[in-house]
Amino acid sequence: MDFTGKTAISTGAASGMGLLFAQNFVELGGNVVMCDVNKEVLNKCVEEINAKGKGKAIGVICDVRDYEQVCRARDEAVESFGSIDVMCNFAGGTAVRMQKVDREKHPEFPDVPIDVYDWGIDVNLKGPFYFAHAVLKQMREQKSGIIINIGSITGQEGDGYGMDYPTSKAGLMFGLTKSIAQYGSKYGIRCVCVSPGPVLTREAMANMKTLLGRAAEPQEIIDLILFIASDKGQFINGENIMIDGGRNAAGRSC
């Protein structure tokens, strides 16, 4: 695959799959705008990518919960590279884990402070919604582009404690992805959601069962995303694609 002359925005790009996507995209000739809230780590990642990639990376400090910062990231992409061809919404995480909620002190869903769940819904759902609203202005003008949302097997399964996460991911997997695809069709814009099962971005993921008996390597998820974004994946649109080792197919046996 060749992304020479193409520009992508990646959120959550200072770590995990957001970073891995940026590394791959630049290695394949593309330019990438890396968005994250961690300035020091982000700048280091940008330097490392630019030291060996074929394309170019720039870093933009961006809290996806802030629409003005989202628009600034969009504008930086256009000013630096002239287009936005791929938008990948990687930023996210389960609020009770990311906010380090003490489960002994807050044992059940109604006991968790609501601002914890607000954070989760804002990052996991409103963030991609904000980016879609912002970048679609540019994609509409250029009459091309793809938005790739990142769902989760949890959006299918639910979670009786960390409810913000499956609620947000289900919104991405079905409502937002299909709606963007419907709107974008007249402008040559696609939208696809990629929904992983357990991925070895954290050790605990190895404990989640799949029919294949293992969790995914992060590169396996990125390979699918790159295919969808490439010239080879142009007929994929408006779909939620599960890449979960058969966990969803196994149902309650998992």
Side-chain angles (χ1 to χ4, degrees):
M1 289 177 283
D2 184 1
F3 291 103
T4 301
K6 301 294 185 180
T7 300
I9 297 177
S10 177
T11 66
S15 63
M17 289 194 290
L19 172 58
L20 186 58
F21 169 81
Q23 292 168 334
N24 277 253
F25 199 81
V26 173
E27 286 173 4
L28 293 168
N31 301 312
V32 65
V33 178
M34 300 171 63
C35 300
D36 205 280
V37 293
N38 192 327
K39 182 178 181 179
E40 184 177 343
V41 176
L42 179 63
N43 289 340
K44 182 179 178 181
C45 291
V46 169
E47 289 177 7
E48 291 175 351
I49 288 174
N50 284 330
K52 58 183 179 181
K54 295 179 182 178
K56 182 180 179 182
I58 62 170
V60 177
I61 305 306
C62 178
D63 185 337
V64 301
R65 300 172 299 169
D66 186 323
Y67 186 69
E68 288 187 6
Q69 293 185 39
V70 167
C71 290
R72 187 162 63 246
R74 174 204 61 201
D75 294 343
E76 286 275 353
V78 176
E79 289 169 13
S80 298
F81 302 119
S83 67
I84 301 172
D85 304 290
V86 183
M87 174 73 236
C88 284
N89 290 300
F90 289 102
T94 305
V96 291
R97 177 175 62 83
M98 301 295 287
Q99 299 293 296
K100 298 179 180 178
V101 171
D102 184 343
R103 193 149 186 174
E104 290 187 5
K105 187 182 295 186
H106 308 290
E108 296 186 343
F109 167 69
D111 305 315
V112 176
I114 196 63
D115 61 327
V116 171
Y117 294 121
D118 280 340
W119 182 93
I121 292 170
D122 285 350
V123 171
N124 292 304
L125 183 56
K126 287 178 69 176
F129 194 99
Y130 281 178
F131 260 103
H133 188 267
V135 304
L136 279 168
K137 291 180 174 67
Q138 173 63 28
M139 290 182 174
R140 178 178 61 186
E141 183 176 324
Q142 66 194 34
K143 292 185 169 53
S144 64
I146 180 170
I147 295 174
I148 299 178
N149 294 319
I150 306 300
S152 171
I153 184 64
T154 311
Q156 290 274 26
E157 295 178 335
D159 184 331
Y161 187 64
M163 291 193 191
D164 61 290
Y165 195 68
T167 300
S168 300
K169 291 301 185 181
L172 293 182
M173 292 158 69
F174 308 111
L176 186 60
T177 295
K178 290 181 181 295
S179 298
I180 294 171
Q182 290 173 16
Y183 167 76
S185 61
K186 60 185 174 181
Y187 298 109
I189 300 165
R190 295 183 296 132
C191 186
V192 178
C193 188
V194 172
S195 295
V199 185
L200 292 174
T201 48
R202 293 188 295 115
E203 289 184 8
M205 292 286 196
N207 298 324
M208 290 179 68
K209 296 178 180 179
T210 70
L211 290 180
L212 295 183
R214 66 174 179 87
E217 294 292 338
Q219 187 64 51
E220 293 180 287
I221 311 302
I222 299 304
D223 286 344
L224 174 59
I225 291 169
L226 291 169
F227 176 83
I228 292 167
S230 76
D231 290 342
K232 297 181 179 182
Q234 293 296 305
F235 203 59
I236 305 171
N237 190 27
E239 282 298 325
N240 174 55
I241 301 175
M242 303 292 294
I243 177 169
D244 65 348
R247 182 177 172 89
N248 190 51
R252 291 177 180 170
S253 66
C254 279

